[in-house]
Amino acid sequence: MRYLGMVAAAISALNAALGAVFAWLSLGIVVVCFSVVVLRYAFATSFVWMQDLYIWLSGAMFTAVGGFALLRDSHVRVDIFYRPASERRKAWVDLIGSVVFLLPFMFVVIAYSWPFVARSWSFAEGSANVGGMPGLFVLKSFILLFAGAVALQGIAMICRSILILGGRGDLVPRRMRYDELAAAEGAA
Amino acid sequence: MDPVLIGELLSGLMFFGIIAFLLLGFPVAFTLAGVSLLFGLVGMAFGVFDPSNFGSLPNRYIGYMTNEVLVAVPLFIFMGVMLERSRIAEQLLLTMGKLFGNLRGGLGISVILVGALLAASTGVVGATVVTMGLISLPAMLRAGYDPRLATGVICASGTLGQIIPPSTVLIFMGDMLSSINSQVQMEKGNFAPVPVSVGDLFAGALLPGILLVGLYTAYTIFKAITDPESCPATPVPADEKRHLPREILVALLPPLLLIIAVLGSILGGIATPTEAASVGAVGAMILAALRWRLSFGVLRETAVATATITSMVFIILFGASVFSIVFRLMGGDNLVHEFLAALPGGRLVAVAMVMAVMFLLGFILDTFEIIFIVIPITAPVLLALDVDPVWLGVLVGVNLQTSFLTPPFGFALFYLRGVAPNSVRTGDIYKGVLPFVVLQIIGIAILFIFPQIVTWLPKVAAG
Amino acid sequence: QDKITWRMVTTWPKNFPGLGVGAQRLADRITAASGGRLSVQVYSAGELVPPLQSLDAVIDGTAEMSHGAAYYWQNKSTALSFFTGVPFGMTARELTAWVRYMGGQELWDEIYDQFGVKGFLSGNTGTQAGGWFREELTGLDDIKGLRFRTPGLGGRVWEKLGATVTNMAGGEIFQALQSGTLDAAEFVGPYNDLALGFYQVAKNYYFPSFVEPGLATELVVDKSKFAELPEDLQAIVEFVCAAEYDQVASDFYANDPRALQTLVNDHGVNVRQFPEEIVQAGAQASKELIQELQDSDDDLTQRTTASFLEALKLLRNRTETIDGTFVAARAQYFDL
Ligand code: NA
Ligand code: NA
């Protein structure tokens, strides 16, 4: 049981770190896109790579923080029965959902994306736009990062469910506790 | 049994299966994908689904990750969150309240105006209603407003914000309808279709949005006259009144001008929505900086909120892709097509049918899930029946908004309940939104009778 | 005998004049010629995968065939541009001569081998239109800072001429052109452009597109699945592609001038030629670009460029001295 708590804590820490780092890409999108606008309208110049860059930053951002969003319970749920449910009931829902829906989904994404991403690496694929950004293979790899991070967070959720159902809710890492999440949402 | 029939049967079952499983409360994006995968497996067993079709998933995902039009989504979210976290939005609301404060119902009207324009640039109805519930509700209750009127105003204008541009919902809708429309027109042999863009959706939604704002305002004024107790004036003390002109200049005008400039440049066709959104985001940062509010903390909060909200929305799109692959390739598209095309009464009945389904889905699902699932399935049929794409998009928005408001299931009500003080009874919330539901129905009827309210502005903007 | 069903993804919208129609007809012809033994189901742009992911869909086994243009995949190998057409490159006829008889197909196979696919020529638009310009062009100075939507290698050429080149989603072009976000846009030619309504907002239609002298389309097949087909089915695929190359080219040749007539007579479009100065500078810029490809670090790109240039040297001699002089003579002396 103690190990489950540690696994959940480690995964959560990883996703929290991913979130803290990659969230800044949103500022990057703003800055690069705004620069493109200024260059085009004020200086009548443009660079295809810059037009690629802010789009790619967006794609990298929303995939990289997928697990973090799950950690923070930011993904929309149908609340009617879930919100008023007891912790044990929530634990059951998250256990079943993670095992039956989330992990198979992420498995399929990884299985079908792996050759796709590996191929892109093998010839250092760049932007489809002539004069665009190099390194499309890096952006494509974010699909795997997304699936990996979300799958890990799913495993952390399974750990949480087992702990709660096993009567050891006290071992659930703080940032994953249902009451903490509910409080954070209220403050949002 | 005929494999075509098996496939269609399974895809129909899948639709209802998903709804059933969603009620469990596991995150929508993953439930959508997970249930679809299970049905894909069943389809495989019956030989009506080929799993190699899942190979299109990474291709679709990288398509979303490199979609130029959709980058407007994080940019508008950034702008909205920055205005909110730097408390510019709140100040705008308070100043507007003071401006109209001497009038009965004035504060309510301010909430309607600001909420509609600003609140839902993020597009997430739940979050919007929560935010407005936290900012506006206490102010209105303190001013002595009838809780019923206060909660009604907040729910209605909070959900209306998703239709009034800037709105991320309209960005997704525009992106989808634009490609569906060109496909459908080509298929019909119309090689000179009028293209539909996100800008058109923004333009098309503006007048209907103003119409609804007008209806809400008219109702508030009606209440102020017939039931003055429900929305008392909030007189501004003399010393504050002296500062009011300055406050209007500092707190009210800049953000208002920013939003108008951003919208104006899109509607005037000067900039694409993405370009305008980046200007809006930078403008929001400048406004925050001018007030010494652009701290590292605010910047980080904005970045984190932008990233998580954007991620949440796109991952629903990822999950919906799995649904759409399985549904389409098992023949579900044909099923819907045959059903809608065979309806007696032509296109208006078909539209009404789709709207009814969306309305019901609106009791449990947020806008994004509904449009990601329903639009790709039904819009091709409706557009083929010569339904105007912009009108359809706006009607979907208003319809969903009505659904979110309708007791007892309307889920905006649940969210407001969650943040409203205990002194506000659930019954008050239900009774409070009812008049607004009636106003919505009037609004929808007007849009049905006078579709020009939607289609006129995009045409004018297009010259 | 077993019936085989193959999925064909395309980069074109369904029924898109010339190209989308050609993809559908190619599929139907394979199905018909094989008596239904190989039936091809078409998924047009976005139905199964986004249009620019079509090749990946075949490589990943999500589809067995893709109908598109090879230069969309220039980020997989720069050399692929040559099999669609390059600025100041080959005409439709010259391209088939190179691909079929002068080593082109072998190089193409070598490039696509890396991805487990094989390409066939499947259509050609002929020489395209140079683009729609809001203002009349008087010389090179008018290009400086001109906001021009034109993709690919052609875009690079215009960039070298001083234009501000943007990549813009198809659905956004019309509005951008109308509002002045764009000063000019290039798409295909009259047959397709008429459909997009650009004539409503830009009246100057420039010819010819020296950056797209003959856009060839391709049919890509999954190489190993193709090899598993019985020989007669393989032959059917190959012959239908060859027939389609000609069919599509004829479709454009017949309908481009008809559409242009409509544009001029009904919509008041001014058909113009690019000023000499621009064409000259365009040729110089194209030369620099192709030289860059010749000096590429990538062995296949280098060899493809060399083979292409060698073939072009021979072919242009024929085109210019025989076809060209005849066309000039007919224009000058023969009117009936
Ligand atoms: Na809004
Ligand atoms: Na072209």
Side-chain angles (χ1 to χ4, degrees):
Chain A
M1 282 293 192
R2 175 168 308 244
Y3 286 114
L4 288 180
M6 282 160 65
V7 168
I11 292 174
S12 302
L14 176 75
N15 269 321
L18 280 176
V21 172
F22 284 100
W24 286 105
L25 294 189
S26 61
L27 187 60
I29 305 167
V30 173
V31 170
V32 178
C33 185
F34 184 70
S35 309
V36 169
V37 172
V38 171
L39 283 176
R40 180 179 305 163
Y41 286 84
F43 299 98
T45 44
S46 69
F47 303 96
V48 176
W49 65 267
M50 276 180 91
Q51 297 176 43
D52 277 341
L53 179 59
Y54 69 84
I55 301 174
W56 290 16
L57 286 176
S58 169
M61 175 191 77
F62 68 71
T63 43
V65 305
F68 173 68
L70 191 57
L71 162 67
R72 300 223 317 187
D73 202 25
S74 303
H75 288 285
V76 183
R77 299 170 182 268
V78 174
D79 271 344
I80 303 175
F81 302 119
Y82 184 85
R83 184 184 284 254
S86 67
E87 285 214 342
R88 285 185 64 84
R89 218 189 136 103
K90 285 181 178 171
W92 271 115
V93 167
D94 285 337
L95 179 65
I96 295 168
S98 300
V99 173
V100 183
F101 303 143
L102 187 145
L103 287 181
F105 176 29
M106 290 307 123
F107 170 77
V108 166
V109 172
I110 292 174
Y112 285 93
S113 302
W114 192 271
F116 174 83
V117 175
R119 183 170 69 246
S120 188
W121 277 83
S122 73
F123 55 94
E125 188 175 25
S127 166
N129 298 320
V130 177
M133 283 282 292
L136 182 64
F137 58 94
V138 178
L139 185 66
K140 284 188 171 177
S141 308
F142 273 82
I143 299 177
L144 291 176
L145 177 67
F146 152 73
V150 169
L152 281 175
Q153 196 58 44
I155 291 171
M157 285 165 72
I158 293 173
C159 294
R160 173 178 64 190
S161 293
I162 297 173
L163 286 172
I164 289 175
L165 295 174
R168 292 304 308 270
D170 58 308
L171 289 177
V172 175
R174 247 197 91 199
R175 51 160 72 98
M176 282 188 73
R177 288 191 186 153
Y178 285 118
D179 48 350
E180 296 268 337
L181 290 169
E185 188 192 9
Chain B
M1 215 160 128
D2 177 17
V4 175
L5 203 62
I6 297 178
E8 291 187 351
L9 201 67
L10 276 177
S11 47
L13 275 177
M14 178 168 86
F15 184 80
F16 293 104
I18 283 171
I19 292 170
F21 280 110
L22 278 172
L23 291 174
L24 277 178
F26 196 68
V28 172
F30 305 105
T31 311
L32 253 176
V35 179
S36 304
L37 285 177
L38 291 178
F39 275 87
L41 277 179
V42 177
M44 244 170 82
F46 282 102
V48 293
F49 182 78
D50 177 351
S52 73
N53 289 315
F54 288 132
S56 61
L57 283 178
N59 291 301
R60 281 181 179 229
Y61 293 174
I62 197 71
Y64 299 138
M65 291 163 73
T66 52
N67 182 318
E68 199 253 342
V69 176
L70 296 182
V71 185
V73 171
L75 289 169
F76 273 126
I77 294 178
F78 191 99
M79 169 176 139
V81 175
M82 175 55 76
L83 290 175
E84 182 213 317
R85 293 295 149 99
S86 60
R87 299 193 17 237
I88 291 172
E90 188 183 336
Q91 222 172 353
L92 177 65
L93 192 71
L94 293 177
T95 310
M96 194 89 111
K98 279 184 202 164
L99 189 62
F100 294 124
N102 285 326
L103 304 170
R104 283 200 306 262
L107 182 58
I109 293 171
S110 320
V111 170
I112 294 172
L113 291 178
V114 178
L117 203 57
L118 243 185
S121 66
T122 56
V124 186
V125 172
T128 307
V129 171
V130 164
T131 307
M132 292 191 57
L134 288 169
I135 298 176
S136 312
L137 187 56
M140 293 171 89
L141 293 178
R142 260 199 315 276
Y145 269 60
D146 179 346
R148 275 178 278 186
L149 182 61
T151 52
V153 162
I154 287 174
C155 284
S157 50
T159 48
L160 177 62
Q162 67 171 338
I163 306 169
I164 293 194
S167 143
T168 48
V169 171
L170 291 178
I171 297 170
F172 279 104
M173 203 116 78
D175 188 57
M176 287 191 290
L177 287 173
S178 125
S179 62
I180 293 173
N181 183 52
S182 73
Q183 288 271 4
V184 167
Q185 297 302 326
M186 292 275 174
E187 214 158 328
K188 288 179 65 174
N190 173 10
F191 300 123
V194 181
V196 180
S197 67
V198 173
D200 290 333
L201 262 280
F202 276 22
L206 194 63
L207 290 183
I210 291 174
L211 170 74
L212 288 171
V213 165
L215 289 174
Y216 299 170
T217 307
Y219 172 72
T220 311
I221 293 172
F222 169 77
K223 285 292 278 185
I225 295 168
T226 60
D227 182 11
E229 300 290 293
S230 68
C231 48
T234 45
V236 184
D239 59 323
E240 272 188 44
K241 213 173 217 162
R242 250 183 321 122
H243 297 301
L244 196 56
R246 194 179 161 273
E247 213 175 304
I248 290 170
L249 213 61
V250 176
L252 186 78
L253 280 181
L256 226 47
L257 286 179
L258 176 71
I259 297 169
I260 291 169
V262 166
L263 285 183
S265 60
I266 298 169
L267 300 184
I270 299 166
T272 65
T274 308
E275 291 170 339
S278 77
V279 175
V282 170
M285 282 197 282
I286 292 173
L287 291 186
L290 287 177
R291 285 168 208 199
W292 301 102
R293 298 251 178 80
L294 190 65
S295 63
F296 180 78
V298 166
L299 208 53
R300 189 185 53 207
E301 279 179 31
T302 305
V304 168
T306 303
T308 40
I309 296 171
T310 310
S311 178
M312 182 274 288
V313 176
F314 273 89
I315 290 172
I316 297 171
L317 193 55
F318 282 15
S321 296
V322 182
F323 168 79
S324 123
I325 288 170
V326 178
F327 190 80
R328 156 164 286 156
L329 290 159
M330 287 201 312
D333 272 14
N334 285 336
L335 189 70
V336 172
H337 194 281
E338 283 159 16
F339 175 73
L340 285 179
L343 279 178
R347 63 182 173 178
L348 287 185
V349 176
V351 171
M353 193 70 174
V354 172
M355 291 299 153
V357 171
M358 285 187 155
F359 184 83
L360 293 178
L361 287 176
F363 286 151
I364 53 170
L365 292 177
D366 199 352
T367 325
F368 292 110
E369 296 100 89
I370 298 175
I371 63 174
F372 293 162
I373 296 175
V374 181
I375 296 276
I377 300 176
T378 58
V381 192
L382 297 179
L383 296 193
L385 293 170
D386 286 330
V387 174
D388 183 276
V390 178
W391 181 75
L392 178 67
V394 173
L395 200 65
V396 166
V398 180
N399 176 39
L400 285 179
Q401 190 210 346
T402 312
S403 172
F404 300 155
L405 292 177
T406 304
F409 297 118
F411 86 118
L413 312 176
F414 284 92
Y415 279 98
L416 189 63
R417 172 70 278 170
V419 290
N422 289 331
S423 63
V424 177
R425 284 173 299 141
T426 306
D428 290 337
I429 299 182
Y430 287 178
K431 283 185 200 137
V433 295
L434 268 181
F436 289 89
V437 174
V438 174
L439 296 176
Q440 290 291 122
I441 293 169
I442 294 172
I444 291 180
I446 293 177
L447 293 185
F448 254 97
I449 301 167
F450 304 105
Q452 302 90 327
I453 297 174
V454 179
T455 54
W456 177 73
L457 192 57
K459 278 201 195 103
V460 171
Chain C
Q1 191 165 8
D2 275 358
K3 287 199 170 157
I4 307 167
T5 303
W6 274 13
R7 294 160 290 190
M8 178 203 280
V9 287
T10 78
T11 58
W12 330 109
K14 195 164 265 173
N15 274 359
F16 191 53
L19 302 170
V21 171
Q24 182 68 51
R25 189 177 48 223
L26 190 148
D28 295 344
R29 282 181 166 182
I30 292 176
T31 310
S34 66
R37 284 164 56 222
L38 177 58
S39 93
V40 180
Q41 169 85 40
V42 179
Y43 295 92
S44 53
E47 270 194 84
L48 207 54
V49 293
L52 296 185
Q53 300 298 324
S54 298
L55 178 63
D56 278 295
V58 175
I59 301 175
D60 289 330
T62 301
E64 286 73 26
M65 293 174 153
S66 138
H67 195 289
Y71 72 175
Y72 290 147
W73 334 121
Q74 57 82 26
N75 57 341
K76 293 199 162 49
S77 166
T78 324
L80 285 171
S81 295
F82 289 103
F83 301 95
T84 302
V86 292
F88 272 94
M90 292 181 177
T91 63
R93 184 54 65 212
E94 290 168 343
L95 188 75
T96 41
W98 172 54
V99 170
R100 291 188 185 144
Y101 289 96
M102 303 167 85
Q105 182 75 51
E106 290 73 12
L107 284 159
W108 199 10
D109 288 346
E110 211 177 323
I111 298 166
Y112 269 159
D113 264 346
Q114 307 169 74
F115 306 104
V117 298
K118 179 173 169 60
F120 299 101
L121 290 178
S122 67
N124 198 303
T125 64
T127 309
Q128 298 199 349
W132 296 85
F133 292 74
R134 286 160 57 91
E135 305 294 333
E136 195 180 339
L137 300 173
T138 56
L140 257 183
D141 282 345
D142 292 342
I143 304 298
K144 299 271 177 297
L146 186 93
R147 287 173 294 212
F148 191 8
R149 188 268 180 192
T150 173
L153 277 178
R156 285 293 296 282
V157 170
W158 283 102
E159 213 169 50
K160 280 177 183 266
L161 265 47
T164 303
V165 170
T166 58
N167 292 313
M168 191 171 279
E172 304 278 322
I173 302 176
F174 179 85
Q175 206 187 24
L177 199 57
Q178 176 175 59
S179 63
T181 307
L182 285 176
D183 302 310
E186 173 269 342
F187 195 54
V188 186
Y191 193 20
N192 296 98
D193 291 5
L194 173 62
L196 293 183
F198 297 149
Y199 60 84
Q200 295 167 38
V201 288
K203 289 290 182 202
N204 300 293
Y205 199 13
Y206 276 86
F207 286 88
S209 170
F210 46 81
V211 296
E212 282 185 329
L215 176 138
T217 67
E218 60 172 11
L219 178 80
V220 171
V221 296
D222 182 312
K223 200 181 162 208
S224 56
K225 287 183 195 161
F226 184 71
E228 286 165 19
L229 288 181
E231 268 177 36
D232 59 333
L233 291 185
Q234 288 185 16
I236 285 173
V237 171
E238 205 167 331
F239 297 161
V240 169
C241 282
E244 271 302 316
Y245 188 84
D246 180 65
Q247 189 86 36
V248 172
S250 309
D251 188 5
F252 275 101
Y253 220 84
N255 286 306
D256 263 338
R258 286 183 183 147
L260 192 60
Q261 246 170 17
T262 308
L263 285 169
V264 172
N265 297 342
D266 302 354
H267 303 299
V269 167
N270 304 309
V271 173
R272 300 184 192 283
Q273 305 280 321
F274 285 117
E276 203 63 27
E277 201 181 24
I278 292 177
V279 179
Q280 228 172 38
Q284 185 54 36
S286 306
K287 217 165 122 178
E288 288 166 20
L289 268 178
I290 294 185
Q291 264 159 0
E292 278 173 34
L293 294 177
Q294 202 172 13
D295 302 337
S296 157
D297 300 331
D298 178 53
D299 166 58
L300 260 172
T301 304
Q302 218 182 73
R303 278 160 47 213
T304 309
T305 316
S307 163
F308 176 87
L309 288 177
E310 198 193 315
L312 181 61
K313 200 178 257 174
L314 190 66
L315 292 168
R316 68 182 292 177
N317 190 36
R318 190 223 187 273
T319 310
E320 283 156 21
T321 56
I322 301 175
D323 300 340
T325 41
F326 167 69
V327 170
R330 188 171 64 185
Q332 196 169 359
Y333 303 116
F334 184 76
D335 54 347
L336 198 69

